[in-house]
Amino acid sequence: MHAAVVITFAHPPTYREFPSPTPQTDDELVVDVIATGLHPRVRSQADGSHYTSTGALPLVPGIDGVGRAPDGTIRYFVLPDTTMGAMAEQTVIDQRRSIVLQDGTDPILVAAAMNPVMSSWLALRRRIDFEPGQTVLILGATGSSGRMAVQVAKHLGAGHVIGAGRDARRLATLPALGADTVAAIDNASAIDDLARAARDVDVVIDYLWGPVTADVMAGIAGHRTDRGKPLTWIEIGSVAGPSAEIVSAALRAVRLQIVGSGQGSVPTRDILAELPAIVTEISSGGFELDARAVPLADVEAAWNDTDADQRIVITP
């Protein structure tokens, strides 16, 4: 069979022949892959930079997708940590980590949307006690997952959503997705303005981390009206840097808790419990997302396309 294969972390995957996968347990199935998303998480898997990377090569990337099982059912699946990913004509799935999709479900849309929707959906549903009506600040709202987080927060009942990012063009599109307020964070003055505007926020969904997070967190802590009001900071991504120098006063002066949400911190059983509701919402058109299908044979060219306005889906 053919697959997208990573031979070295210094080069994007290339289209080549690869041994066909075989099940190792009674719960495993070989599926014909229909569609799999080229998510930022997949890019970090393929360049060895993700925190789960073991350095094992060769590697077929791809962490989830839609495939046809031997019985003809169409399944959305989530893969465990494996070197046999979804960017191949076939892959092995654990059927316990999959759900059967209803007839008529668009596999391209599901493959494109599930991962970015899950990042904020699981954070709000499974990592904290989120309450309808709360105010949510999204740091990195102009990225693909951040744009989806705006929609997810509103869908789950946020009373006010603040979208913050650096791309002015994409910021301007966020109100149509549900953002009540948008804020630029491209300089120190803008970050201080955001901290003042968001001083009484309840939840922060953070895709940035790095120095930006440190500055925004310190600013919110310094301007907070009620220091005893809970502030929950959910760290999901690290686009702006892998580490952040958190000012100790921010932790002592306000009622702040910092939690992470991602692979490992959300148990598999919790992920699986949320999948049907997420698929239903995606399939009903509840989220706006621009998906573009690219043949598996063109994976290397697709890898170099980093247009955040579209979610690329690889179709074997």
Side-chain angles (χ1 to χ4, degrees):
M1 72 165 189
H2 285 87
V5 185
V6 177
I7 302 299
T8 169
F9 290 131
H11 192 279
T14 55
Y15 179 74
R16 61 179 64 199
E17 290 188 356
F18 197 79
S20 297
T22 56
Q24 300 298 314
T25 71
D26 292 340
D27 292 313
E28 290 185 340
L29 302 171
V30 173
V31 298
D32 296 323
V33 179
I34 298 172
T36 179
L38 176 48
H39 316 302
R41 166 68 177 83
V42 176
R43 292 182 184 276
S44 64
Q45 176 193 32
D47 66 19
S49 65
H50 196 263
Y51 63 86
T52 62
S53 177
T54 64
L57 292 173
L59 163 71
V60 175
I63 59 171
D64 69 341
V66 177
R68 180 177 289 103
D71 63 0
T73 56
I74 306 299
R75 292 175 175 265
Y76 170 75
F77 58 85
V78 178
L79 295 177
D81 290 331
T82 175
T83 55
M84 185 61 248
M87 290 191 174
E89 292 174 334
Q90 292 184 319
T91 194
V92 172
I93 71 168
D94 185 331
Q95 58 185 326
R96 296 169 301 179
R97 298 169 61 100
S98 70
I99 58 172
V100 176
L101 301 180
Q102 295 182 353
D103 292 343
T105 301
D106 183 349
I108 303 297
L109 182 60
V110 170
M114 284 295 285
N115 178 264
V117 169
M118 269 196 285
S119 73
S120 51
W121 183 294
L122 294 175
L124 293 175
R125 289 272 298 160
R126 294 289 174 167
R127 290 297 287 135
I128 68 171
D129 295 323
F130 179 66
E131 298 179 4
Q134 289 186 320
T135 298
V136 178
L137 165 63
I138 298 164
L139 287 180
T142 53
S144 58
S145 293
R147 287 168 59 84
M148 197 61 68
V150 170
Q151 301 176 67
V152 169
K154 272 296 186 180
H155 173 74
L156 295 180
H160 191 94
V161 175
I162 305 169
R166 293 174 174 170
D167 189 309
R169 180 182 63 81
R170 293 190 180 114
L171 272 177
T173 68
L174 295 182
L177 300 180
D180 300 284
T181 307
V182 297
I185 48 173
D186 52 1
N187 58 64
S189 177
I191 288 174
D192 186 62
D193 289 342
L194 169 62
R196 292 176 184 274
R199 63 183 179 272
D200 294 325
V201 68
D202 299 293
V203 177
V204 178
I205 297 177
D206 187 354
Y207 290 100
L208 299 180
W209 207 239
V212 174
T213 288
D215 291 343
V216 174
M217 189 182 294
I220 290 177
H223 295 301
R224 204 148 177 85
T225 301
D226 179 0
R227 295 179 181 274
K229 180 182 180 181
L231 169 60
T232 303
W233 204 286
I234 313 175
E235 201 287 316
I236 299 180
S238 54
V239 174
S243 60
E245 293 187 8
I246 305 303
V247 178
S248 62
L251 294 170
R252 300 197 309 268
V254 298
R255 192 176 170 187
L256 168 66
Q257 65 168 340
I258 303 173
V259 301
S261 185
Q263 190 172 342
S265 61
V266 182
T268 300
R269 63 179 180 277
D270 288 356
I271 297 174
L272 294 174
E274 297 293 340
L275 292 184
I278 299 174
V279 168
T280 296
E281 192 60 29
I282 291 171
S283 299
S284 68
F287 300 120
E288 181 179 320
L289 181 139
D290 186 8
R292 176 164 64 91
V294 174
L296 177 63
D298 297 332
V299 66
E300 189 170 356
W303 217 266
N304 295 318
D305 186 349
T306 56
D307 182 2
D309 288 342
Q310 290 186 318
R311 180 68 70 156
I312 295 173
V313 176
I314 302 299
T315 55

